[in-house]
Amino acid sequence: MPSLKQYRLRIRSVQSTQKITKAMKMVAAAKLRRAQEAATAARPYATAMDRMMASLAGAMQGKAGAPRLLAGTGADRVHLLIVATADRGLCGGFNSSIVREARRAIRELQADGKTVKILCVGRKSRDQLRRDYSSLIIDTITDLGRPSVTFADATKVASRVVELFDAGEFDVATLFYNRFRSAISQIVTRQQIIPPAVPEQTAPAGAAPYEFEPDEETILKDLLPRNLTVQVYRALLENSASFFGAQMTAMDNATRNAGDMIKKLTLFMNRQRQAGITKELIEIISGAQAV
């Protein structure tokens, strides 16, 4: 049985851990508000842009001369999975949930005879996927969002994706990330970004066609890479808010658990001390009676 000194040392150790987790919770809570506001503000523009690109992709299906970023390569053989996680842990199941969905997609694609390549955005996706799929990882992009997510971070990722696409490395690109719902709830999202996923009905009956000014080629040449960057930017913002929400929740739970452990250790220490005092009293009384 541990001595009183050992109990005191363990209590101090847990108290130190509790101070750290409490501080991390407060920092995450402060950063969560700004990250949530940024993610919420980016949603309408990214959603409208995605719908417009999907509508254009549906309208240009089968037409000659359609931009490759919009219409794709015409094949469905090689898939690039862009798995966006955080560089750090201590955030509950935030990273694991994204990687789990990516693993599911890898198994489905390989079962269909497709070739899979992985672009890891964040250290945690690389660390978790390389144990089983190291041969599929073609590149890793880290150190994004420090101190906060910027459009330049999204441009860095999108430029790498376009570079791989222009080199003929893949036919379809899919982005994996966590969409923020609340501090205790995130939704794992799988979004096809190259070519944009075409809905069953791209426009209502009788809708007017798009008119381009100055011309279709000039506009789409600038608009398509921008849309790709916007979708990546939205994913990074959603991930940032989800990460801080998950971290705040995880650190709150850790702080509570540390408090429960301190109470239990204090109880055990008091029982040990009481048993020692009782034993000493019994020895004194027994000695007095013997005299």
Side-chain angles (χ1 to χ4, degrees), residues 182-195:
S182 67
I184 60 174
S185 176
Q186 299 86 36
I187 303 172
V188 181
T189 303
R190 181 194 302 195
Q191 180 183 2
Q192 182 177 311
I193 55 176
I194 299 179

Side-chain angles (χ1 to χ4, degrees), residues 80-86 95 98-103 106 117-126 129 141 174-177 239:
L80 176 69
L81 306 187
I82 307 165
V83 186
T85 61
N95 294 311
I98 300 173
V99 174
R100 191 181 306 114
E101 182 66 19
R103 288 177 182 273
I106 293 171
K117 297 181 180 180
I118 303 173
L119 172 62
C120 294
V121 179
R123 289 192 179 90
K124 290 303 177 179
S125 58
R126 177 196 62 190
L129 286 172
I141 300 176
T174 306
L175 181 62
F176 294 81
Y177 63 96
N239 255 6

Side-chain angles (χ1 to χ4, degrees), residues 36-246:
Q36 182 180 353
E37 290 175 351
T40 303
R43 284 175 185 170
Y45 181 77
T47 301
M49 180 78 81
D50 188 46
R51 288 176 179 172
M52 183 177 67
M53 291 297 103
S55 179
L56 286 172
M60 292 186 175
Q61 273 186 334
K63 291 185 179 181
R68 294 176 74 246
L69 277 176
L70 184 64
T73 62
D76 187 29
R77 185 174 57 85
V78 183
H79 286 250
L80 176 69
L81 306 187
I82 307 165
V83 186
T85 61
D87 287 328
R88 297 170 292 166
L90 299 177
C91 53
F94 168 79
N95 294 311
S96 299
S97 61
I98 300 173
V99 174
R100 191 181 306 114
E101 182 66 19
R103 288 177 182 273
R104 186 180 298 111
I106 293 171
R107 291 193 296 268
E108 291 173 356
L109 291 170
Q110 290 181 336
D112 292 337
K114 310 294 184 182
T115 301
V116 178
K117 297 181 180 180
I118 303 173
L119 172 62
C120 294
V121 179
R123 289 192 179 90
K124 290 303 177 179
S125 58
R126 177 196 62 190
D127 294 343
Q128 294 188 33
L129 286 172
R130 69 181 176 184
R131 286 177 286 187
D132 298 322
Y133 302 107
S134 58
S135 61
L136 305 181
I137 299 176
I138 59 175
D139 200 0
T140 302
I141 300 176
T142 60
D143 298 323
L144 300 178
R146 294 187 178 183
S148 60
V149 176
T150 63
F151 200 73
D153 295 328
T155 303
K156 182 178 180 180
V157 177
S159 299
R160 181 57 177 149
V161 174
V162 172
E163 179 184 342
L164 293 170
F165 185 65
D166 291 340
E169 293 288 336
F170 65 90
D171 301 313
V172 180
T174 306
L175 181 62
F176 294 81
Y177 63 96
N178 259 330
R179 183 163 62 87
F180 179 81
R181 174 185 284 177
S182 67
I184 60 174
S185 176
Q186 299 86 36
I187 303 172
V188 181
T189 303
R190 181 194 302 195
Q191 180 183 2
Q192 182 177 311
I193 55 176
I194 299 179
V198 180
E200 296 181 0
Q201 184 178 357
T202 57
Y210 285 102
E211 295 184 2
F212 296 91
E213 178 67 32
D215 61 79
E216 178 179 333
E217 182 179 354
T218 302
I219 292 178
L220 291 180
K221 184 178 180 181
D222 178 73
L223 193 60
L224 290 171
R226 184 183 298 272
N227 172 64
L228 183 62
T229 306
V230 167
Q231 300 308 320
V232 174
Y233 183 50
R234 174 193 182 181
L236 294 179
L237 289 175
E238 295 280 358
N239 255 6
S240 178
S242 298
F243 170 78
F244 289 124

